[in-house]
Amino acid sequence: MEESYRHKGLRKKLIEEIKAKGISDSRVLQAMERVPRHMFMDSSFEKFAYKDQAFPIGCDQTISQPYTVAYQTELLEVERHDKVMEVGTGSGYQAAILLEMGAKVFTIERQRELFLKAQSFLPELGYNPHFFYGDGYEGLPSYAPFDRIIVTAGAYEIPEKLQEQLKVGGVMVVPVGDSSTQVMTKVERVSADDYKKTEHGHFVFVPLLKGKSF
Ligand code: SAH
């Protein structure tokens, strides 16, 4: 699949749409304007790539709606050179956005097929996060602590092992709720033992599942 002027034009329109819906962080908007979302989707869905909608990526999973990606990324307040852990690599689209923002990205996927696909595809576009096949509930203790943690699947509760892998001053953004809807939750580690939690808006994600799968 190619990147054309048409794709660039469609992407510009999508960014305007997201802006109109309330996203104002120019670093997020610029990153989204650079990442060719159509290349992260099956070619049969290519024409939907620049609509503000979620879409299937195989293995019963979805690439999140662009507005949701923008909203969650804005809340994360990523700075250049931040060490960021992402749970739920999926298509790799969110990881690409974080890389465009100058972060160092560690991304975990529990489904082997999606892990393998992202691992071979993202570097072709010049995106090189560190890929891990495993259970994101466990995080990456040997690479901790992280400046930022982003969970891109819905959790029933704030995963304790993940918040323990935040630096003091670090931020985690995780959708928390049941399978029908989740509240975007921001967790800031204010000291070794204290976390500040704030809630922001309702979203629908695929569930965060325990263990690995083939
Ligand atoms: N960030 C992705 C969104 C993918 S949807 C993107 O930009 O495309 C959520 C992903 O989380 C799915 O691929 C799903 O397989 C994965 N997932 C669910 N539970 C997980 C877990 N415990 N550890 C790692 N990945 C998980």
Side-chain angles (χ1 to χ4, degrees):
M1 222 180 289
E2 301 275 301
E3 164 82 331
S4 68
Y5 281 112
R6 190 178 64 87
H7 290 125
K8 283 196 179 131
L10 289 171
R11 205 148 64 233
K12 245 198 162 75
K13 266 177 75 182
L14 173 65
I15 302 311
E16 288 308 317
E17 207 179 314
I18 289 171
K19 234 167 139 174
K21 288 181 182 171
I23 304 298
S24 59
D25 187 333
S26 58
R27 295 167 317 132
V28 174
L29 295 167
Q30 275 166 23
M32 291 187 71
E33 194 161 337
R34 284 196 292 266
V35 179
R37 187 170 188 260
H38 63 283
M39 294 189 182
F40 291 75
M41 295 166 58
D42 287 347
S43 51
S44 46
F45 296 120
E46 196 221 355
K47 61 175 178 293
F48 299 110
Y50 296 112
K51 293 194 187 300
D52 192 18
Q53 290 172 6
F55 270 101
I57 53 170
C59 303
D60 280 337
Q61 300 303 327
T62 55
I63 179 169
S64 303
Q65 181 182 348
Y67 173 72
T68 305
V69 172
Y71 189 96
Q72 194 172 13
T73 310
E74 188 169 68
L75 267 184
L76 198 63
E77 296 176 288
V78 181
E79 302 289 343
R80 289 197 82 75
H81 310 301
D82 271 355
K83 197 169 143 190
V84 182
M85 170 162 64
E86 178 195 26
V87 174
T89 310
S91 68
Y93 178 72
Q94 174 73 67
I97 300 289
L98 295 168
L99 289 163
E100 284 283 3
M101 294 177 76
K104 197 170 169 206
V105 180
F106 296 71
T107 185
I108 316 172
E109 175 55 56
R110 70 179 286 281
Q111 290 209 32
R112 191 169 170 81
E113 197 180 323
L114 291 172
F115 157 76
L116 290 172
K117 202 169 156 187
Q119 193 185 36
S120 71
F121 167 67
L122 276 191
E124 283 175 25
L125 294 184
Y127 296 120
N128 292 291
H130 300 277
F131 293 97
F132 298 87
Y133 167 51
D135 181 2
Y137 260 110
E138 302 297 321
L140 295 167
S142 50
Y143 295 86
F146 294 92
D147 298 294
R148 300 287 183 264
I149 299 175
I150 179 168
V151 181
T152 66
Y156 285 109
E157 55 190 5
I158 294 172
E160 214 172 293
K161 285 187 181 167
L162 295 185
Q163 70 175 22
E164 285 167 4
Q165 293 175 33
L166 275 177
K167 276 186 193 164
V168 171
V171 171
M172 171 164 76
V173 180
V174 48
V176 179
D178 59 26
S179 57
S180 61
T181 174
Q182 302 93 35
V183 177
M184 198 66 89
T185 307
K186 180 171 177 174
V187 179
E188 298 174 64
R189 186 169 199 172
V190 283
S191 69
D193 305 317
D194 292 314
Y195 297 88
K196 181 181 148 208
K197 187 180 101 175
T198 52
E199 296 184 341
H200 303 261
H202 288 259
F203 292 87
V204 181
F205 283 81
V206 296
L208 185 68
L209 301 171
K210 288 225 159 103
K212 292 198 275 192
S213 115
F214 279 90

